[in-house]
Amino acid sequence: MHLVNTNDLSIPSDDWKPSFVTLDTSMGKMIVELYWDHAPNTCRNFAELARRGYYNSTKFHRVVKDFIVQGGDPTGTGRGGASIYGKYFNDEITPLLKHTGAGILSMANAGPNTNGSQFFITLAPTQSLDKLHTIFGRLHSGINILQKISMIQTTDNDRPIDDITILRAYITETE
């Protein structure tokens, strides 16, 4: 097992590849499985941000019915956040992975190669996002929590009326 010092803000080595990240939310726990073989830099970014506590106390700032739940922005506005590599890092889009249904974990972006800290989880098939967003994992458990989040009341701008918070995100070594 490769241990990582939580006070160290360097980029983890290539052999650090935790399989799962747990998102303890204000509505329950979801565990995501990371696709290291397809998107290693994206997985490293997400896992390391979770390890550092970057996602702790952040909100799911956007919930679009039958589409996506988006989070990962420490400002809660949908305009903030940075990666472990700097403000942005490059896409790792592969034709082998598609947004085929609920529970697909992808990077949110503002165009090509603008990945930072924001991510989304799909609520349904969203093929329109294929070839535009890096898929780097899937929901391993907690689909019922994702469904609960998807049913919350939102504003006309898809912002939740009541905050849905990631209380804590952390590395989970095993299922």
Side-chain angles (χ1 to χ4, degrees):
M1 175 194 276
H2 182 48
L3 298 177
V4 178
N5 177 350
T6 58
N7 295 320
D8 179 11
L9 296 182
S10 64
I11 297 172
S13 67
D14 289 347
D15 66 338
W16 183 70
K17 295 181 180 181
S19 299
F20 301 97
V21 171
T22 298
L23 303 174
D24 276 335
T25 77
S26 53
M27 296 189 79
K29 184 189 313 188
M30 296 185 287
I31 300 175
V32 296
E33 176 184 357
L34 301 179
Y35 292 163
W36 287 91
D37 289 343
H38 298 285
N41 291 330
T42 308
C43 290
R44 188 169 294 104
N45 180 67
F46 184 77
E48 176 61 8
L49 289 174
R51 184 195 67 84
R52 291 180 186 178
Y54 189 88
Y55 294 127
N56 295 354
S57 302
T58 62
K59 300 174 189 176
F60 283 109
H61 61 272
R62 187 171 175 229
V63 177
V64 184
K65 186 171 179 56
D66 298 322
F67 191 56
I68 63 162
V69 171
Q70 185 171 333
D73 174 7
T75 71
T77 65
R79 293 186 287 272
S83 79
I84 63 170
Y85 309 110
K87 185 157 179 68
Y88 299 128
F89 68 98
N90 290 342
D91 295 327
E92 294 180 296
I93 295 170
T94 173
L96 299 174
L97 300 176
K98 305 221 184 274
H99 297 88
T100 55
I104 304 297
L105 179 65
S106 288
M107 288 303 290
N109 63 41
N113 302 315
T114 59
N115 300 294
S117 63
Q118 293 188 47
F119 63 91
F120 62 86
I121 305 171
T122 59
L123 297 173
T126 53
Q127 286 88 349
S128 63
L129 301 176
D130 292 347
K131 300 179 186 171
L132 299 174
H133 297 271
T134 299
I135 296 171
F136 66 100
R138 70 172 182 92
L139 201 57
H140 177 75
S141 66
I143 193 75
N144 59 326
I145 303 306
L146 183 64
Q147 289 168 337
K148 280 180 13 183
I149 294 171
S150 76
M151 293 186 282
I152 57 111
Q153 187 177 4
T154 60
T155 67
D156 291 340
N157 294 327
D158 302 316
R159 299 214 180 271
I161 300 290
D162 296 315
D163 289 346
I164 310 299
T165 305
I166 299 172
L167 304 172
R168 184 171 168 242
Y170 55 94
I171 302 302
T172 309
E173 293 296 337
T174 60
E175 300 178 41

